[in-house]
Amino acid sequence: VKLVLVDNAGYCAKAFAAHLAIFFKNATLHTCWAHTANRFGATILEHPEMAPLREYLRVMRSLVHGANQSSRRQRYCTAIGVCLPDYTDTRWDSATRTAEHHAAQMKKEYQWLKDEMQRIEQEKKVVPAALEQALSLMREKRSLVHLQATFLCEFGRDIYDFIESLQVDIVPKGANSAPPRPFGHRLYSRVLQLEAQLVTLANDVT
């Protein structure tokens, strides 16, 4: 065994050092680069200056994908013409796809939010806090939220591509596609390639 791939959890590294390394003395430990790339990208979204976009992502998800929101979700999909990705802040590819969606659909979303508010007021129902927050962001910081969403898409595309490349099947297809090599060697080469790309990207923005 030359390479051991594990999750990024601390107990995985401890288990390798305490147990597996005893039996596999030539093995090298590598933690999951998909998770590492996720965290690298998430640091951008977690920056204090990105608070308006973070808040917009959160409240829009609550409005459209929250519990018991199937009717509102249908109205959103009908009004916008495409459904909102189900954003989660623990997945960078999710953040990128959702930011791309908002950047492209923000004008329609603002109109939809105003229509939702009017509908609720006419029906004399309680206005959801998330709807008030989303409308407030659109009225006061719409240009900034749009700019941040666009920036996140452009900056995050490389990171998203890294994660996508980690999810493809790296075993060559077909008998003549590549000289036969151990699976671990191909995987190890991919890890080193991605590591170099991430280091380069980190140097470009520091």
Side-chain angles (χ1 to χ4, degrees):
V1 175
K2 298 294 185 181
L3 176 68
V4 176
L5 289 175
V6 299
D7 204 344
N8 273 7
Y11 64 79
C12 294
K14 290 180 181 178
F16 174 81
H19 302 286
L20 295 178
I22 298 173
F23 299 101
F24 307 119
K25 298 185 182 299
N26 296 322
T28 300
L29 177 70
H30 271 274
T31 53
C32 174
W33 268 105
H35 287 96
T36 301
N38 262 311
R39 293 308 308 149
F40 182 86
T43 58
I44 304 166
L45 194 56
E46 292 167 359
H47 191 282
E49 296 296 330
M50 298 293 279
L53 177 60
R54 279 201 315 274
E55 181 69 4
Y56 189 69
L57 291 172
R58 183 187 66 81
V59 296
M60 287 300 292
R61 185 192 184 281
S62 176
L63 276 174
V64 178
H65 290 293
N68 302 316
Q69 300 298 341
S70 58
S71 296
R72 181 175 290 129
R73 183 160 55 250
Q74 183 60 48
R75 290 195 298 273
Y76 177 94
C77 296
T78 300
I80 306 303
V82 60
C83 290
L84 176 67
D86 193 0
Y87 163 69
T88 171
D89 59 6
T90 61
R91 294 291 179 269
W92 177 252
D93 54 344
S94 168
T96 305
R97 289 198 314 273
T98 309
E100 286 177 336
H101 175 90
H102 287 313
Q105 307 297 338
M106 194 160 289
K107 184 176 180 180
K108 289 182 179 180
E109 286 182 337
Y110 186 27
Q111 184 59 52
W112 176 78
L113 288 167
K114 290 187 289 187
D115 291 343
E116 277 295 292
M117 178 64 80
Q118 184 179 26
R119 184 188 64 81
I120 291 173
E121 288 176 343
Q122 288 175 349
E123 295 176 357
K124 298 183 178 180
K125 294 182 178 179
V126 177
V127 178
L131 178 57
E132 292 182 326
Q133 292 167 344
L135 270 173
S136 176
L137 282 167
M138 286 295 93
R139 288 168 179 150
E140 299 172 11
K141 300 179 180 180
R142 183 164 73 257
S143 296
L144 177 59
V145 172
H146 187 273
L147 179 65
Q148 290 183 343
T150 303
F151 167 79
L152 191 69
C153 299
E154 293 176 353
F155 184 88
R157 176 50 57 184
D158 286 339
I159 303 171
Y160 178 75
D161 290 342
F162 294 157
I163 297 171
E164 286 291 293
S165 68
L166 282 165
Q167 297 173 359
V168 301
D169 181 7
I170 66 168
V171 179
K173 302 293 185 181
N176 300 318
S177 59
R181 290 186 295 170
F183 175 81
H185 178 79
R186 291 194 296 274
L187 187 56
Y188 186 63
S189 298
R190 175 63 61 84
V191 169
L192 293 181
Q193 177 189 7
L194 290 169
E195 182 177 7
Q197 289 175 313
L198 281 173
V199 169
T200 299
L201 183 58
N203 290 335
D204 287 345
V205 298
T206 56

